[in-house]
Amino acid sequence: PARAADVFTIGPVPVDATGKSAAAAREQARVEGQRQAFQLLLERITLPSDRARVPHLDSSALNNLVQDFAVANERSSAVRYLADLTFRFRADEVRRLLRGAGVPFAETVSKPVVVLPVFLGEGDPVLWDSPNPWRDAWANRRAPAGLVPFVVPTGDLSDLSAVDAGQAVAGDEAAFGRIAQLHGGGDVLVTAARVRGQGVVETITTRYGTGGGPQRLAQTWRAGEGEDETALFARAVEGVAAAVEETWKRENLLHFGQEGTLSVAVPLGSIEDWIAVRDRLAGLAAVRLADLVALNRSE
């Protein structure tokens, strides 16, 4: 899983700007990319219902939130600038902004979730075999990373021996343990899709491995005007992923209306252990202050 600091890094953000000169175009691209990156950060750590409360920031205020940025694939002409920019935001400043606006946020990264996309056609359910347009749609997903890292297995021999379509649909926990171990994951997401009539896709998604038992979500997707089946499946994938992300965020939101104090005894094997604990505490948004009361060789 990504480190907490990585949550506040957004990129690559493609930019394309024009100006009176190459320098002006470059600066315009940076400003536009910076604003787009901040919006992507808000989408990553806040709920849609809360984003309207985030104050609008001018370019100067946004500059203060950015720690640094990196440039890749840079191309320019006399009046045009194109590049891929990656922005690293100041975590403490972003937290302070959201706390001040009363906007709860989440920055805890989930364990990797192994996705098993099952297609329900006229015959038996399909997982690794072809055609499976639902698995193809998941494999082709290129969305920005969120708080839930999705891992889509390729379906090689080890995957086939770990779990099959019937076991996925039946919720076989032993099979889920095997496929999760293969891909370094913690939880398994079984998402099944079925085409109902013309331009309608139904999905049933269950996340196994989280506390409190399996989490299930049923959704229906209807094709828009001119939208083919491939595009419909791609949109359904984004919708399922967004729903899983939102559920995770709701369970891990940080609210700052109340404060409490916790006394903890930490077993230590060396001074390096204490330094590691101290550094990790400093990186947690929920911890405002940590005082060391006593220290000995063992705790």
Side-chain angles (χ1 to χ4, degrees), residues 198-201 220-229 231-233 235:
Q198 186 68 27
V200 178
V201 171
T220 300
W221 312 92
R222 291 178 171 80
E225 185 176 353
E227 186 177 35
D228 61 18
E229 187 175 274
L232 177 58
F233 272 115
R235 182 162 59 86

Side-chain angles (χ1 to χ4, degrees), residues 29-150:
R30 183 194 64 80
V31 171
E32 293 176 359
Q34 182 174 271
R35 187 165 296 281
Q36 183 180 348
F38 182 64
Q39 183 61 37
L40 291 172
L41 175 62
L42 292 179
E43 292 175 5
R44 174 181 289 179
I45 66 176
T46 65
L47 296 175
S49 56
D50 294 326
R51 289 175 200 146
R53 300 205 304 274
V54 179
H56 177 77
L57 303 178
D58 58 24
S59 297
S60 177
L62 270 178
N63 286 341
N64 293 332
L65 295 182
V66 175
Q67 181 168 328
D68 53 42
F69 68 96
V71 182
N73 302 321
E74 189 177 40
R75 306 176 302 282
S76 64
S77 68
V79 295
R80 188 180 180 190
Y81 180 83
L82 301 91
D84 293 328
L85 306 182
T86 297
F87 293 87
R88 187 163 53 143
F89 290 89
R90 301 180 188 275
D92 289 343
E93 294 300 322
V94 174
R95 292 165 181 156
R96 186 176 296 112
L97 172 71
L98 296 178
R99 282 198 297 264
V103 176
F105 61 93
E107 59 178 68
T108 302
V109 180
S110 164
K111 297 178 181 178
V113 174
V114 180
V115 182
L116 300 180
V118 178
F119 183 65
L120 304 176
E122 295 181 356
D124 294 332
V126 176
L127 175 56
W128 307 120
D129 295 333
S130 295
N132 185 342
W134 188 227
R135 185 163 71 90
D136 293 342
W138 276 96
N140 293 328
R141 182 173 184 258
R142 296 294 181 268
L147 295 181
V148 180
F150 294 101

Side-chain angles (χ1 to χ4, degrees), residues 167-248:
Q167 291 169 324
V169 172
D172 189 320
E173 293 187 4
F176 294 161
R178 292 192 296 269
I179 193 70
Q181 185 176 16
L182 280 175
H183 296 280
D187 292 358
V188 171
L189 189 76
V190 178
T191 177
R194 182 194 307 274
V195 176
R196 289 285 193 188
Q198 186 68 27
V200 178
V201 171
E202 295 177 348
T203 60
I204 299 177
T205 303
T206 308
R207 180 170 178 171
Y208 295 90
T210 54
Q215 300 173 345
R216 190 178 185 189
L217 175 68
Q219 297 166 287
T220 300
W221 312 92
R222 291 178 171 80
E225 185 176 353
E227 186 177 35
D228 61 18
E229 187 175 274
T230 300
L232 177 58
F233 272 115
R235 182 162 59 86
V237 164
E238 292 306 321
V240 170
V244 173
E245 287 260 6
E246 184 165 344
T247 299
W248 174 260

